Amino acid sequence: MLLGDNERFMIKCQVTLKKYPNDAPDMPLVNCIPVLKNRYNKGEAVYELNKGRSVIRLLSIKDDENYLKLLFQYINKDASDPAFSNIKTGETRIEKKQNDEGMGYSAHVLIKKRPSDSSFQDCYEAILEEVPGITRGLLAQALTYFLRENNFSLIRSRGQKELKCRPIFDIDFLAATTLEQSLSTGYLCGLTATRRFKDNSLDDDGTVMVEEETLKLSTKIRRGEGAIKAIKSAYDKLRGRKYTMLRISYKDKNKRVSSDLVSIGKEMSLQELATAQLAQREKAVLASTIAVCQTAFHEELLAKMQNFMLK
């Protein structure tokens, strides 16, 4: 996915603060924010991966009455050097990284500070700027790491020892649209099925093992109910062949290619497949240029993320 100078895609998510240990008291987001700010102010909001080859850093943090606003930077030393080509001649040059440099990206995250549903006190609505490499899982890992040292504690009944507690962040898509809705305004791009194997070797000695098999599918029917029927037909046949996951790729009304995973397990009716929940995305067109690796908040994008939150 290429990032434009004046556009970004935003995606609705849900942040869940799980507890460790399970019997720990609630650790609401408003109580976590001071801990996160303290770590940021100390310059300790840095999470290393791949033995230091990749780093995700909290570049900026601020909050108001309603929202927590975060700006993350992701650096990957193993990413390929960027290439630039002349449009007229095709001549290409490669910009070499210097020592201790890596390809850098940034992503904004907006989290509502209070739960929208009082029945689920540990769940918070969020908007993520969609950026390649900065995944939901990576952001959740980083936030969990940043809050590993805190002032939360637990004393169990009949116990005398104070036990340390910590929140574990989980970020998932906030499903807000269906496959039927997406294919009524957009169209199907393709299907990819996968299945995993156990103890399936290519040779008698078991030297080479087959771990996963991928099957790519296409159909001439790409819109509306016809496309859903084609997906249903593929789902049924794949289920019989022991495939376990189906990736549905589609282009939405914003001309943005997206994909969502459907687990192949139980038998599904056409109606169940049509109403399968997909993530909700929206394109933000910006009047001011946004960098691939921002060093400060892009206020216009934050404003559009807040407006998207309210939809």
Side-chain angles (χ1 to χ4, degrees):
M1 180 178 76
L2 297 177
L3 298 176
D5 290 338
N6 293 88
E7 63 181 36
R8 285 294 185 270
F9 282 90
M10 308 172 291
I11 184 166
K12 284 192 175 183
C13 293
Q14 177 175 277
V15 175
T16 303
L17 295 188
K18 299 179 179 179
K19 300 181 290 186
Y20 182 84
N22 290 333
D23 58 344
D26 289 334
M27 290 168 274
L29 182 62
V30 290
N31 291 355
C32 294
I33 292 173
V35 180
L36 189 58
K37 283 184 174 181
N38 183 54
R39 192 169 182 86
Y40 168 78
N41 291 332
K42 290 181 177 180
E44 298 176 351
V46 181
Y47 178 55
E48 293 187 356
L49 304 92
N50 305 321
K51 299 181 179 180
R53 303 290 298 176
S54 302
V55 169
I56 186 161
R57 174 181 284 105
L58 183 59
L59 273 186
S60 194
I61 177 174
K62 63 180 180 179
D63 66 316
D64 54 29
E65 184 179 351
N66 299 311
Y67 301 107
L68 171 64
K69 303 167 186 179
L70 306 171
L71 178 64
F72 288 92
Q73 178 194 63
Y74 176 62
I75 303 172
N76 185 356
K77 290 185 68 174
D78 295 327
S80 300
D81 293 324
F84 301 91
S85 300
N86 187 291
I87 293 176
K88 295 181 179 179
T89 66
E91 185 177 346
T92 300
R93 65 180 176 87
I94 296 176
E95 191 69 29
K96 291 289 185 181
K97 298 188 292 289
Q98 298 181 12
N99 291 336
D100 293 327
E101 284 187 335
M103 288 294 293
Y105 302 90
S106 65
H108 293 74
V109 178
L110 180 74
I111 307 176
K112 189 176 287 186
K113 289 174 63 174
R114 290 169 181 80
S116 298
D117 189 338
S118 58
S119 302
F120 300 94
Q121 289 291 324
D122 56 351
C123 298
Y124 304 84
E125 292 181 42
I127 304 293
L128 271 59
E129 175 190 356
E130 198 170 18
V131 175
I134 307 183
T135 64
R136 293 174 290 112
L138 181 58
L139 292 171
Q141 289 175 41
L143 287 167
T144 298
Y145 178 80
F146 296 159
L147 274 92
R148 75 191 192 283
E149 297 293 336
N150 55 66
N151 54 2
F152 305 129
S153 61
L154 161 70
I155 299 179
R156 291 195 172 104
S157 59
R158 298 183 181 180
Q160 297 180 349
K161 185 177 179 180
E162 188 176 56
L163 302 175
K164 294 292 291 181
C165 307
R166 60 186 175 92
I168 297 176
F169 282 74
D170 182 72
I171 304 176
D172 206 352
F173 293 133
L174 186 63
T177 188
T178 65
L179 185 59
E180 183 178 42
Q181 292 168 336
S182 295
L183 294 182
S184 67
T185 56
Y187 61 87
L188 182 65
C189 296
L191 304 170
T192 304
T194 57
R195 60 179 173 181
R196 298 188 67 83
F197 293 89
K198 290 183 179 179
D199 304 323
N200 191 12
S201 61
L202 284 179
D203 55 6
D204 294 335
D205 299 330
T207 305
V208 181
M209 306 295 294
V210 179
E211 293 186 358
E212 186 177 86
E213 183 179 84
T214 300
L215 181 67
K216 292 188 176 181
L217 308 170
S218 62
T219 174
K220 294 180 180 179
I221 306 173
R222 306 173 73 185
R223 292 182 183 272
E225 185 179 354
I228 297 173
K229 287 181 178 179
I231 296 171
K232 173 68 165 61
S233 176
Y235 180 95
D236 291 342
K237 287 181 170 57
L238 293 167
R239 183 169 172 265
R241 296 182 184 183
K242 308 299 183 183
Y243 282 86
T244 57
M245 196 66 65
L246 179 64
R247 181 180 293 277
I248 304 172
S249 299
Y250 56 94
K251 183 171 285 190
D252 62 21
K253 61 183 180 181
N254 297 311
K255 298 184 179 180
R256 165 77 167 88
V257 176
S258 304
S259 63
D260 285 279
L261 292 172
V262 174
S263 178
I264 302 175
K266 66 174 185 175
E267 185 176 351
M268 292 182 72
S269 67
L270 185 65
Q271 181 62 22
E272 286 175 323
L273 191 60
T275 56
Q277 296 291 299
L278 305 179
Q280 185 177 2
R281 293 175 172 88
E282 184 167 288
K283 183 178 182 179
V285 178
L286 307 169
S288 54
T289 300
I290 183 169
V292 171
C293 193
Q294 286 278 133
T295 56
F297 282 118
H298 192 285
E299 297 297 337
E300 184 185 1
L301 177 59
L302 280 177
K304 288 183 178 290
M305 291 171 79
Q306 284 186 214
N307 290 336
F308 186 38
M309 176 84 77
L310 300 174
K311 290 185 178 180

